[in-house]
């Protein structure tokens, strides 16, 4: 009997999720034993036309990392969706847009302007810009259309499972693949490879639920942090209260605030506004002017609120009209 | 052209402000009909998520009213809202939503006239700002045309 087929793909991604797959070490051998890997641009030499030639539903599992930022990525997402039975949004980018979706603070024109004209490292006297179609002596060259907005995978195709993390921690990756191999699948729409609480609940730091913050501080400007106490209560923005557990408190155990890479905690529809409420809750003042001053010590609330989740946030992108 | 009629969502704490709004009605005070009131237990119940969702779903302005400082029936609720408020405004500004589109006011149960004034003033301000129209921001990606797709063979 032929083995079940597995496809892996990267769209608007950094490659970190791909590396995390390789980090499963010898478990990759079990995976290769169980599955026939039929598509994996980063690891194996299969082309798009190989996928196009497959029957619909022929692939059991597709692990799709990266967000959707251009037409090619949308096209491949739709193609793989047709060919696979189980689509897993693999990592923060596929789940909610991830880091690439921070580009939703701008649009295509602004991004191109920065990347090709105004960035200090750019030397582009001819004002060359990428074109979707270019005629050269050998024929026509094409590039995919770059969208104004970055989308999460489920904003383009239906997704069975969401696997959070930037990237997902290795043990969780192994557990998810083993679950699929066991055939005992959770209900569609589930978050897999993560916990059901918040990062705070797996954080080793002491938290007192007190209001003590008179100013928020950037981590690199603090030299007096108590390593045993909650970072947020010491004025360092930590996304733990709004973020799903599952990483084991990786960052907070090593003196780094949580950035929120496991996405919204269970029952939270918007990770960013949840974090905003948590930040407000530690402010030590009942005077509106003083509250304003304390809030002004946070330069970029949007960046903290939606570092990994602009695409799936309530407002998705900044306004482009009016 | 017809005058732009703003759609305003108002979260009113049930103990003070909702009663104040009721009083405005029973006193037959005149004020603009642009507000959709939503009764909440306390202004502290107004999660910032409610505010962004109102804008996403078509509101042009969001009004939050609670008991005066010191009068909250849950002691701290209105202070909690007051601490969230400048952060919510700052976040909205980063999204390109004018911070003036969200407003926080204290209205007691006996201040029907004040409620009517606040609504009139706010409606006027939002009318000047014009429609927000968030729906286009939530549009799906452009539909692809066969020839614009790159397929590496
Ligand atoms: S989720 Fe993180 S590690 Fe994975 S592709 Fe996106 S940025 Fe990279
Ligand atoms: S806010 Fe951050 S540091 Fe504080 S308990 Fe939660 S995860 Fe730990
Ligand atoms: S602590 Fe937060 S940012 Fe760090 S790995 Fe866990 S969820 Fe991600
Ligand atoms: S009960 Fe009115 S603001 Fe809390």
């Amino acid at each position: 009997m032929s083995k079940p087929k597995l496809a892996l793909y990267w769209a608007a991604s950094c490659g970190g999720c791909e590396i995390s797959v390789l980090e499963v070490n010898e478990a990759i051998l079990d995976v290769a034993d169980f599955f026939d890997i039929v598509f994996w641009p980063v690891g194996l030499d299969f082309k798009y036309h190989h996928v196009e030639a497959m029957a619909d539903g022929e692939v059991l599992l597709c692990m799709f990392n990266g967000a959707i930022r251009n037409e090619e990525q949308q096209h491949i997402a739709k193609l793989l969706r047709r060919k696979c039975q189980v689509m897993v949004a693999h990592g923060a980018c596929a789940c909610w847009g991830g880091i690439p979706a921070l580009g939703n603070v701008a649009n295509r024109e602004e991004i191109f302007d920065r990347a090709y004209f105004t960035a200090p490292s750019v030397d582009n006297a001819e004002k060359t810009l990428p074109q979707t179609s270019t005629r050269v002596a050998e024929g026509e060259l094409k590039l995919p259309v770059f969208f104004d907005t970055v989308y999460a995978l489920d904003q383009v195709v239906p997704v069975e499972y969401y696997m959070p993390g930037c990237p997902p921690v290795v043990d969780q990756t192994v557990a998810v693949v083993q679950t699929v191999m066991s055939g005992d699948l959770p209900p569609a729409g589930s978050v897999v490879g993560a916990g059901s609480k918040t990062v705070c609940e797996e954080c080793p730091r002491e938290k007192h639920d007190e209001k003590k913050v008179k100013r928020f501080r950037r981590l690199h400007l603090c030299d007096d942090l108590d390593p045993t106490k909650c970072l947020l209560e010491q004025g360092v923005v930590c996304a733990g209260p709004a973020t799903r557990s599952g990483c084991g408190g990786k960052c907070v155990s090593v003196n780094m605030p949580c950035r929120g890479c496991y996405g919204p905690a269970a029952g939270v529809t918007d990770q960013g506004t949840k974090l905003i409420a948590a930040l407000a809750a530690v402010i030590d003042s009942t005077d509106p002017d003083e509250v304003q001053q304390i809030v002004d010590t946070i330069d970029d609330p949007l960046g903290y609120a939606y570092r990994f989740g602009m695409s799936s946030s309530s407002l998705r992108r900044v306004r482009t009209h009016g | 052209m017809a005058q732009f009629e703003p759609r305003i969502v108002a979260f009113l704490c049930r103990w003070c402000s909702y009663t104040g709004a009721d009083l405005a009605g029973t006193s037959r005070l005149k004020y603009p009909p642009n507000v959709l009131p939503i009764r909440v237990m306390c202004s502290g119940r107004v999660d910032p998520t409610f505010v962004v969702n109102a804008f996403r779903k078509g509101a042009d302005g969001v009004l939050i009213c609670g008991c005066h400082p010191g009068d909250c029936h849950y002691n701290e609720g209105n202070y909690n809202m007051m601490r969230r408020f400048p952060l919510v405004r700052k976040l909205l500004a980063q999204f390109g939503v004018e911070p003036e589109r969200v407003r926080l006011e204290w209205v007691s149960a006996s201040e029907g006239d004040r409620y009517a004034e606040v609504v009139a003033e706010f409606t006027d301000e939002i009318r000047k700002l014009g429609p927000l129209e968030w729906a286009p921001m939530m549009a799906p990606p452009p539909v692809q045309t066969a020839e614009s797709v790159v397929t590496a063979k």
Side-chain angles (χ1 to χ4, degrees):
Chain A
M1 202 185 104
S2 69
K3 295 197 271 186
K5 297 189 167 74
L6 168 67
L8 299 104
Y9 189 67
W10 54 354
S13 93
C14 76
C17 283
E18 302 276 349
I19 301 297
S20 79
V21 170
L22 294 171
E23 269 184 58
V24 305
N25 295 331
E26 59 280 357
I28 195 85
L29 298 175
D30 295 338
V31 173
D33 228 24
F34 184 87
F35 285 109
D36 205 356
I37 302 178
V38 292
F39 187 55
W40 191 14
V42 88
L44 300 166
D45 191 21
F46 293 109
K47 304 292 190 221
Y48 292 167
H49 68 90
H50 292 120
V51 181
E52 278 154 11
M54 288 175 205
D56 288 357
E58 191 179 323
V59 176
L60 173 62
L61 173 64
C62 176
M63 304 275 285
F64 192 108
N65 72 77
I68 308 295
R69 124 81 71 226
N70 70 32
E71 210 166 33
E72 179 183 17
Q73 292 155 355
Q74 174 172 237
H75 173 73
I76 299 301
K78 288 183 173 171
L79 175 67
L80 285 167
R81 175 67 277 188
R82 275 207 309 280
K83 303 300 173 188
C84 79
Q85 294 169 34
V86 177
M87 177 68 95
V88 174
H90 178 203
C93 294
C95 287
W96 329 280
I99 298 285
L102 285 170
N104 287 1
V105 301
N107 58 21
R108 168 174 47 202
E109 199 185 324
E110 290 162 336
I111 292 170
F112 277 20
D113 189 61
R114 180 71 184 161
Y116 297 106
F117 301 140
T118 63
S121 54
V122 170
D123 177 7
N124 182 6
E126 282 92 59
K127 301 245 174 253
T128 307
L129 263 189
Q131 303 296 319
T132 50
S133 167
T134 308
R135 283 242 158 251
V136 291
E138 294 81 2
E140 188 188 15
L141 298 176
K142 288 192 163 194
L143 284 176
V145 172
F146 186 99
F147 297 151
D148 276 324
T149 302
V150 173
Y151 299 88
L153 182 60
D154 71 357
Q155 290 165 352
V156 171
V157 295
V159 164
E160 270 78 27
Y161 303 118
Y162 300 84
M163 188 175 174
C166 179
V169 297
V170 171
D171 303 350
Q172 301 277 24
T173 308
V174 174
V176 167
V177 175
Q178 279 169 347
T179 304
V180 175
M181 283 160 47
S182 77
D184 189 12
L185 295 174
S190 302
V191 171
V192 295
S196 55
K197 297 183 172 144
T198 65
V199 171
C200 287
E201 284 167 88
E202 46 184 18
C203 174
R205 291 167 175 269
E206 272 171 57
K207 202 176 187 202
H208 298 284
D209 294 318
E210 286 169 11
K211 302 196 189 310
K212 347 186 171 178
V213 173
K214 288 280 186 196
R215 65 184 168 125
F216 288 96
R217 304 184 292 166
R218 304 284 303 277
L219 182 72
H220 63 279
L221 300 176
C222 303
D223 49 14
D224 56 348
L225 288 180
D226 184 330
T228 63
K229 300 222 167 93
C230 170
L231 289 159
L232 188 51
E233 290 178 0
Q234 299 181 72
V236 173
V237 175
C238 177
T243 303
R244 188 183 279 273
S245 61
C247 69
K250 256 192 167 15
C251 304
V252 284
S253 351
V254 293
N255 251 344
M256 284 294 286
C258 171
R259 319 301 177 87
C261 84
Y262 265 62
V268 170
T269 52
D270 189 305
Q271 189 181 14
T273 42
K274 183 78 188 167
L275 179 61
I276 292 294
L279 297 180
V282 297
I283 292 177
D284 175 17
S285 176
T286 52
D287 169 48
D289 294 334
E290 193 187 20
V291 170
Q292 183 68 54
Q293 276 169 26
I294 298 170
V295 163
D296 284 340
T297 59
I298 303 180
D299 285 331
D300 178 18
L302 184 150
Y304 284 119
Y306 300 114
R307 193 189 299 258
F308 297 96
M310 263 305 257
S311 298
S312 301
S313 70
S314 303
L315 295 175
R316 190 176 294 173
R317 58 157 301 113
V318 303
R319 200 174 172 196
T320 51
H321 65 295
Chain B
M1 204 185 111
Q3 173 173 249
F4 158 60
E5 287 303 336
R7 274 181 295 185
I8 295 170
V9 173
F11 295 101
L12 310 175
C13 116
R14 67 166 287 187
W15 299 107
C16 288
S17 313
Y18 195 83
T19 316
D22 243 4
L23 182 63
T26 50
S27 318
R28 300 175 173 241
L29 297 177
K30 280 213 161 111
Y31 60 91
N34 300 60
V35 163
L36 174 78
I38 296 179
R39 189 171 58 173
V40 290
M41 286 304 280
C42 171
S43 65
R45 178 67 186 89
V46 183
D47 192 298
T49 314
F50 300 177
V51 178
V52 289
N53 261 318
F55 286 124
R56 170 197 180 130
K57 294 186 176 167
D60 302 300
V62 173
L63 175 64
I64 303 157
C65 298
C67 312
H68 284 267
D71 292 347
C72 171
H73 288 236
Y74 310 96
N75 300 329
E76 278 279 314
N78 50 5
Y79 286 121
N80 283 337
M81 188 59 230
M82 187 259 270
R83 293 183 194 104
R84 287 172 203 153
F85 185 63
L87 263 170
V88 170
R89 280 193 149 198
K90 203 164 173 176
L91 181 74
L92 288 171
Q94 286 187 286
F95 274 101
V97 178
E98 298 87 345
E100 299 76 33
R101 288 187 188 271
V102 48
R103 184 149 169 174
L104 176 62
E105 294 284 351
W106 311 130
V107 174
S108 79
S110 60
E111 293 177 317
D113 47 348
R114 192 176 141 66
Y115 179 76
E117 269 166 40
V118 164
V119 168
E121 212 185 284
F122 190 46
T123 306
D124 209 40
E125 196 175 343
I126 300 296
R127 187 172 283 127
K128 283 191 196 118
L129 284 173
L132 182 67
E133 277 181 296
W134 204 259
M137 302 302 104
M138 308 306 290
V143 186
Q144 62 199 16
T145 53
E147 73 268 27
S148 59
V149 173
V150 177
T151 308
K153 298 271 169 176

